[in-house]
Amino acid sequence: MASVRDVTFELLRAHGLTTIFGNPGSNELPFLAGLPDDFRYLLGLHEGVVLAMADGYAQARRGPALVNLHAAAGTGNAMGQLTNSVYSHSPLVVTAGQQVRSTVGQEVMLANVDAAALPRPLVKWSSEPASAEDVPRTISQAIHTATLAPQGPVYVSVPYDDWRAESSVEARHLLSRSTVTAAALTTPQLTELAAMLDRAERPVLILGPDVDAVAANDHAVALAEALAAPAWIAPSASRCPFPTRHPAFRGVLPAGVKAISDLLAGHDLVLVVGAPVFRYHQYDPGRYLPEGTRLVHLTVDPGEAARAPMGDAIVCDLADTLARLTAAVTPGRRAALVPLPPIPAPRPGSAGRLHPEEVFAVLRDTAPADTVWVTESTSTTGAFWAQADLREPGSYYFPASGGLGFGLPAAVGVQLADPDRQVVALVGDGSANYGITALWTAARYRIPVIFVILRNGTYGALRWFAQVLAAGETPGLDIADIDFTALAAGYGVTGVTVASRTALVEAVTDALAAGEPRLIQVDTDLTTP
């Protein structure tokens, strides 16, 4: 008879889950010891970093990633990053070691009390198997649950003495199972939606990260062209589903009710695809939609459909729906979109500092055209989009719920999953401290991410919010004089500080040729989101 551990490794292998992101503790050792040769273990020095690395990896490979955490403490350390994973629909299979099964009720050291409840509501599903024999089936359920639409993180706690128990013969059935989602619009639904778009005088598209996640970017472009409709990216999108220099591109929607409604004024039909309706942030009261505007929502997530405050929702396969809808609408009914004006010259910085627009312009012009940008510099988002030229799918990643600590480790995971494209992490000095140990993992495994730290010495986004809220001067917002090149050196990454555009070009050029991780620290002016 095979052990529970042996069958589980066969199951993981069958689903391509042979990369494990983790930070081990004693409860996890019986699972990890003697890891099969075709598996690889990526060590992170903090569980939040581990989870964010796996998140970036899962998003970039468009498939599940396996995470191994230590009991309740390790799970708790990782839960901040789960706030991003749930809203980016990242299919993470998160496992945690539990104490010996017979001792859990005593609440001995390292017991995960009520383990299944701990990560809720930040996971789609969580469980601790009722018996050792049920471990493989539970992990199989976790994998299928994580990858079925809407994708998202799941959690399984396993008592460590379960691994050596004998597995059921029936567990072999798990190795050949498959589950798929096949929800498609009916012909009447498609006909009605196409006719609605044809009748609209000024339709507009709002596209979200799920369009990029299912590689439906080309379909979205084709639909925008057929409708001659402008296209916005949904607020706080974790991915960019549309080329930013296309004539239809209008940028990223703001995250306030009134601000969105004002931008939609004059549009009679709003088609939202692959995004919630809407993920507002700052309190900005107003009407949800302008008078006379209708909203239709296409989503893979029944929860998103159910909780939206307005509009008609259809839960469906996005790639199939966009392709069929593009073929069904009547092109040429509206004036063609005109090309966008050239990207404006970046604003200059002050003495000894670069404006973030200068940084992004240099990076855009120096890095390869298909560079992947992982951004977590929340006070410079406006500057980034002002200079961005994103042409390829999978070129942009952002923390979906604003949970800090995503940028550095997610860039490591994205680079691991997409080794043929250069990954550049654009991270503020405030955000960088939450995931700084990702530098060690990058150095240890020679993952050639270029980390760019934009250092302005303060929590810039919070300073902006203090103005929005009329909060006045607030303590705890300044973080001056952190030397990230020294921190990088301690973790084994070569770093350099630059203070001019010329020096930045040289540093980026050197980093691109290095074949190993590099860090570039740039002192920048304070800007607003």
Side-chain angles (χ1 to χ4, degrees):
M1 292 285 290
S3 70
V4 165
R5 181 178 182 271
D6 291 338
V7 172
T8 298
F9 276 121
E10 287 190 61
L11 177 67
L12 295 173
R13 191 178 287 115
H15 287 277
L17 289 168
T18 56
T19 296
I20 303 173
F21 295 87
N23 181 274
S26 54
N27 291 1
E28 292 69 47
L29 296 181
F31 170 69
L32 295 173
L35 196 68
D37 290 342
D38 59 329
F39 280 69
R40 61 177 174 177
Y41 187 87
L42 270 292
L43 173 63
L45 303 187
H46 183 275
E47 290 89 351
V49 166
V50 165
L51 197 111
M53 284 194 296
D55 191 331
Y57 181 79
Q59 290 193 60
R61 77 185 292 252
R62 293 188 171 95
L66 180 62
V67 182
N68 187 240
L69 303 177
H70 178 45
T75 301
N77 284 341
M79 283 174 65
Q81 287 307 311
L82 272 176
T83 65
N84 293 319
S85 304
V86 66
Y87 289 109
S88 60
H89 289 160
S90 300
L92 303 183
V93 180
V94 182
T95 61
Q98 173 66 291
Q99 256 289 6
V100 172
R101 185 175 288 276
S102 63
T103 68
V104 174
Q106 304 170 42
E107 298 190 13
V108 297
M109 286 284 291
L110 300 180
N112 192 347
V113 180
D114 200 358
L118 179 61
R120 295 174 181 155
L122 297 177
V123 292
K124 283 182 67 179
W125 178 78
S126 61
S127 177
E128 185 171 271
S131 67
E133 188 177 88
D134 197 42
V135 169
R137 189 211 58 80
T138 301
I139 291 178
S140 174
Q141 181 177 351
I143 295 168
H144 291 298
T145 302
T147 53
L148 284 168
Q151 295 186 338
V154 297
Y155 182 83
V156 179
S157 168
V158 182
Y160 74 75
D161 57 331
D162 283 3
W163 296 117
R164 66 173 180 265
E166 286 189 355
S167 175
S168 165
V169 174
E170 300 304 310
R172 308 295 303 181
H173 292 298
L174 300 170
L175 304 180
S176 57
R177 289 194 71 234
S178 66
T179 55
V180 296
T181 300
L185 267 65
T186 65
T187 298
Q189 288 174 325
L190 181 71
T191 301
E192 180 183 357
L193 182 53
M196 191 187 309
L197 288 166
D198 280 348
R199 288 193 303 267
E201 294 183 6
R202 292 194 64 205
V204 61
L205 301 181
I206 298 174
L207 305 169
D210 288 337
V211 174
D212 188 65
V214 297
N217 312 64
D218 289 346
H219 298 316
V221 170
L223 181 60
E225 291 173 348
L227 298 173
W232 290 87
I233 298 177
S236 304
S238 60
R239 302 173 74 152
C240 180
F242 207 84
T244 60
R245 298 304 300 163
H246 188 278
F249 183 71
R250 294 296 182 270
V252 181
L253 280 181
V257 172
K258 183 178 184 300
I260 290 178
S261 185
D262 288 348
L263 280 175
L264 296 179
H267 294 285
D268 53 348
L269 180 60
V270 179
L271 182 64
V272 181
V273 186
V277 179
F278 289 109
R279 294 202 67 218
Y280 303 113
H281 187 192
Q282 66 269 21
Y283 183 62
D284 180 28
R287 297 178 65 109
Y288 282 125
L289 287 172
E291 187 69 31
T293 300
R294 182 174 182 178
L295 185 144
V296 177
H297 181 202
L298 305 180
T299 177
V300 298
D301 189 338
E304 287 181 357
R307 67 176 177 262
M310 72 286 199
D312 301 312
I314 304 173
V315 179
C316 58
D317 179 276
L318 297 181
D320 174 77
T321 299
L322 285 173
R324 294 171 62 204
L325 194 57
T326 301
V329 299
T330 305
R333 298 176 65 92
R334 302 168 193 88
L337 296 161
V338 298
L340 296 180
I343 296 176
R347 286 178 282 177
S350 58
R353 291 180 177 270
L354 293 176
H355 192 281
E357 287 188 8
E358 292 183 289
V359 177
F360 301 141
V362 167
L363 290 165
R364 179 198 67 224
D365 294 339
T366 309
D370 66 346
T371 292
V372 180
W373 309 96
V374 180
T375 72
E376 193 181 25
S377 177
T378 52
S379 66
T380 67
T381 52
F384 175 82
W385 289 112
Q387 297 297 317
D389 185 1
L390 308 181
R391 303 177 185 226
E392 302 292 330
S395 292
Y396 173 81
Y397 298 89
F398 182 82
S401 196
L404 298 185
F406 172 85
L408 296 180
V412 173
V414 171
Q415 186 73 85
L416 191 67
D418 203 352
D420 295 330
R421 297 173 67 181
Q422 178 63 57
V423 175
V424 176
L426 306 172
V427 181
D429 50 350
S431 300
N433 289 287
Y434 288 79
I436 195 68
T437 61
L439 297 178
W440 181 89
T441 303
R444 170 68 177 80
Y445 300 101
R446 291 183 61 85
I447 301 172
V449 179
I450 299 175
F451 302 99
V452 179
I453 307 296
L454 294 95
R455 189 176 74 159
N456 59 25
T458 190
Y459 291 120
L462 290 182
R463 288 205 169 276
W464 174 75
F465 253 109
Q467 295 176 7
V468 171
L469 300 176
E473 186 58 32
T474 304
L477 300 188
D478 291 325
I479 49 170
D481 302 324
I482 299 175
D483 186 347
F484 289 94
T485 60
L487 291 172
Y491 286 117
V493 174
T494 300
V496 62
T497 299
V498 300
S500 69
R501 295 182 71 172
T502 300
L504 179 56
V505 171
E506 293 177 357
V508 174
T509 302
D510 289 346
L512 289 169
E516 61 183 24
R518 291 291 179 89
L519 181 140
I520 303 170
Q521 175 178 290
V522 190
D523 285 348
T524 60
D525 287 329
L526 178 63
T527 57
T528 57

